[in-house]
Amino acid sequence: MSVFKKNNYWYLYVTYNGIRYRKKTNVRTKTEALLVEAEFRRKLELEGTGLYTRNKPTQELITEYLTFVNEQLSPRTAKRTHGIIKNFQKHASPKTAMDITQSLMDLYVSRRSKDTFHNTPISKRTINSEITVVKAMLNWAVKRGIIKHN
């Protein structure tokens, strides 16, 4: 465990169970950085015992992700992503982000493959592209600490 200062901000460098964590603290003093480090370590220990898990209701996750998409992607890509997420919610409807499991994705694929668009079945390529968008949303959530793993 250590804290260090770089560009007027304090950073954490924590190793827990063989995994390295590096995190910017957004605090300006060493005392505050040490407090943030202690809280971070406590959360890691609680996660290890199963008493604390990072999770979020799916609707909140989707709202945050779509806000990100609107800011970062082109309007056409953002519109397509909105449609894919809407289809995902309609066919899978998970309650929390951690409920999105492989079995739920399999259920989504089976339900989505029965759909039609203008009396034409949805292609496997389209379904795979939609799965890619859901994966991207989950990976985005992991990077931001919203959920623990994808």
Side-chain angles (χ1 to χ4, degrees):
M1 292 186 296
S2 68
V3 294
F4 61 94
K5 190 173 185 179
K6 181 178 178 184
N7 297 332
N8 294 325
Y9 287 100
W10 287 89
Y11 291 79
L12 302 179
Y13 186 81
V14 178
T15 301
Y16 183 78
N17 287 343
I19 301 172
R20 289 185 296 186
Y21 299 92
R22 287 176 244 168
K23 182 178 175 182
K24 182 179 177 181
T25 62
N26 292 324
V27 297
R28 299 283 179 154
T29 66
K30 185 173 184 176
T31 305
E32 291 172 331
L34 291 171
L35 290 172
V36 170
E37 177 192 22
E39 179 65 19
F40 184 74
R41 189 163 206 7
R42 187 178 77 71
K43 284 183 180 181
L44 288 174
E45 290 171 357
L46 288 175
E47 282 178 8
T49 60
L51 295 174
Y52 174 82
T53 57
R54 284 178 268 175
N55 203 354
K56 188 172 260 201
T58 306
Q59 191 55 47
E60 287 181 34
L61 170 65
I62 288 171
T63 303
E64 289 179 25
Y65 181 66
L66 291 179
T67 302
F68 168 78
V69 164
N70 288 335
E71 294 170 356
Q72 299 294 320
L73 301 178
S74 71
R76 184 175 178 178
T77 305
K79 183 178 178 184
R80 174 76 176 134
T81 302
H82 281 264
I84 290 170
I85 297 296
K86 183 178 176 182
N87 277 333
F88 177 69
Q89 284 183 293
K90 182 174 90 173
H91 292 290
S93 63
K95 300 275 187 240
T96 64
M98 294 302 288
D99 290 341
I100 303 173
T101 60
Q102 183 61 46
S103 59
L104 185 74
M105 293 306 293
D106 292 341
L107 178 68
Y108 172 73
V109 168
S110 69
R111 288 181 179 173
R112 189 72 173 118
S113 62
K114 293 174 186 171
D115 279 352
T116 58
F117 183 72
H118 297 295
N119 297 323
T120 305
I122 304 296
S123 72
K124 291 180 181 179
R125 180 176 178 176
T126 299
I127 295 170
N128 286 337
S129 298
E130 293 173 353
I131 290 171
T132 302
V133 169
V134 174
K135 281 182 181 179
M137 178 180 69
L138 294 174
N139 288 335
W140 175 87
V142 169
K143 286 180 183 175
R144 279 147 186 84
I146 297 170
I147 59 176
K148 185 176 179 182
H149 59 83
N150 177 359

